[in-house]
Amino acid sequence: MAEPPTGAPSGSAQAHGRRANRRSYHDGVQVNGYVDDPYHRVRRAVAARLMVDDIRGGAPVLELGCGPCSTLDPAQLPVPLVVADVAEAALGAARRATAGRALPVCLDATCALPFRTGSFSGLLTGELIEHVYDPVALLRECHRVLAPGGLLVLTTPNLATVQDRLAFLAGRAPRQVDPLHPYLWLHIRPFTASLLRRVLRRAGFAPLTLRSNHVGWRLPGGRWVTSRLLARLAPGLGGSLICAARRLDEPPSPPDAGLGSSA
């Protein structure tokens, strides 16, 4: 895989990030390498259950950034499923994995989504928002393509896990902001639970539920000790933030409105 770049002009940051993500995820191999890992298996199952349990209306559901293996099973949805990704090869694999029961659309999530306003009753996006230069713009597009009262479910790595909080007190950087990591250097917009809620509200959503996959602690030898119970009791300490939010009728705040300073 390509090394993290240095010295990229600020004006090309978004385009550069797009190219870097394409290089890493174009064929789905990297994603296929982790979807069966317990960490991601639980994350995906929790996100899918939030969508299936709370979906309203008869419009289709969109999975944005589906990769080669959709989080959602079309057989469990009461409405059609549309799967979308920037990588054509990964998108083809996702369509085959659903036995042709999902409609594939190739798109770039950093641009305007090629759907009419109010097209979907639900939208799921897993581990995508941390990769984009302007997450608020992405969420505003999600707001636009969702019908009033539509459900958004998203997942993203947690910047403030219990181990990272203690590490930061000791002067060590959280894992999610390591520019030398083999793939975490592509995570350019890390979130805490409170920041994620604020960004959702700014984009016109009402956060409903925050879940996590597990609260974990990495031992010196590399083995993880994890707890699902702690994740249910304190999701803001968990490895992944899994959030469900409802689209409000009010339009999103203007793009030039500041986000404040509290995270």
Side-chain angles (χ1 to χ4, degrees), residues 44 60-74 77 80-88 90-107 114-115 120 122-124:
R44 288 159 61 88
V61 168
L62 171 65
E63 182 169 351
L64 190 60
C66 63
C69 183
S70 174
T71 299
L72 295 169
D73 181 353
L77 290 171
L81 174 64
V82 177
V83 291
D85 202 278
V86 70
E88 293 186 14
L91 190 60
R95 186 177 185 276
R96 291 189 295 273
T98 63
R101 291 174 297 172
L103 175 66
V105 178
C106 190
L107 56 77
F115 305 110
F120 300 99
L123 192 156
L124 186 148

Side-chain angles (χ1 to χ4, degrees), residues 129 136 139 152 154 156 158 165 191-212 233-237 241-245 248 259 262-263:
I129 193 171
V136 179
L139 290 176
L152 172 69
L154 66 82
T156 189
N158 183 14
R165 294 185 190 211
F191 289 88
T192 63
S194 59
L195 179 59
L196 183 60
R197 291 190 186 100
R198 287 174 48 236
V199 170
L200 284 165
R201 293 189 184 101
R202 180 57 51 86
F205 290 94
L208 302 175
T209 304
L210 181 71
R211 303 278 177 84
S212 188
L233 296 175
L237 298 178
L241 302 174
I242 308 164
C243 188
L248 298 175
L259 289 178
S262 172

Side-chain angles (χ1 to χ4, degrees), residues 10-229:
S10 59
S12 65
Q14 180 161 287
H16 185 90
R18 187 183 300 119
R19 290 192 298 270
N21 281 292
R22 281 182 187 271
R23 285 197 302 271
S24 293
Y25 300 111
H26 71 281
D27 58 2
V29 171
Q30 189 169 141
V31 176
N32 276 332
Y34 70 66
V35 291
D36 288 330
D37 181 271
Y39 177 97
H40 291 286
R41 187 167 64 245
V42 172
R43 170 185 65 80
R44 288 159 61 88
V46 171
R49 180 49 52 191
L50 287 175
M51 178 60 69
V52 171
D53 287 350
D54 291 336
I55 190 71
R56 299 176 185 171
V61 168
L62 171 65
E63 182 169 351
L64 190 60
C66 63
C69 183
S70 174
T71 299
L72 295 169
D73 181 353
Q76 295 183 349
L77 290 171
V79 295
L81 174 64
V82 177
V83 291
D85 202 278
V86 70
E88 293 186 14
L91 190 60
R95 186 177 185 276
R96 291 189 295 273
T98 63
R101 291 174 297 172
L103 175 66
V105 178
C106 190
L107 56 77
D108 184 347
T110 65
C111 303
L113 299 178
F115 305 110
R116 288 181 291 184
T117 298
S119 294
F120 300 99
S121 57
L123 192 156
L124 186 148
T125 177
E127 311 298 275
L128 173 66
I129 193 171
E130 69 275 8
H131 288 267
V132 302
Y133 184 77
D134 190 345
V136 179
L138 170 63
L139 290 176
R140 287 197 178 100
E141 273 296 282
C142 293
H143 183 281
R144 182 185 65 79
V145 302
L146 278 169
L151 181 67
L152 172 69
V153 175
L154 66 82
T155 80
T156 189
N158 183 14
L159 178 65
T161 66
V162 62
Q163 191 167 28
D164 281 327
R165 294 185 190 211
L166 295 176
F168 191 76
L169 291 175
R172 296 194 298 273
R175 182 170 178 265
Q176 294 299 328
V177 293
D178 182 356
L180 302 178
H181 191 278
Y183 59 85
L184 293 182
W185 66 276
L186 293 169
H187 293 187
I188 60 175
R189 290 290 184 263
F191 289 88
T192 63
S194 59
L195 179 59
L196 183 60
R197 291 190 186 100
R198 287 174 48 236
V199 170
L200 284 165
R201 293 189 184 101
R202 180 57 51 86
F205 290 94
L208 302 175
T209 304
L210 181 71
R211 303 278 177 84
S212 188
N213 48 357
H214 65 231
V215 172
W217 190 276
R218 189 172 187 176
L219 300 176
R223 187 169 70 89
W224 282 91
V225 177
T226 63
S227 171
R228 289 283 295 122
L229 175 61

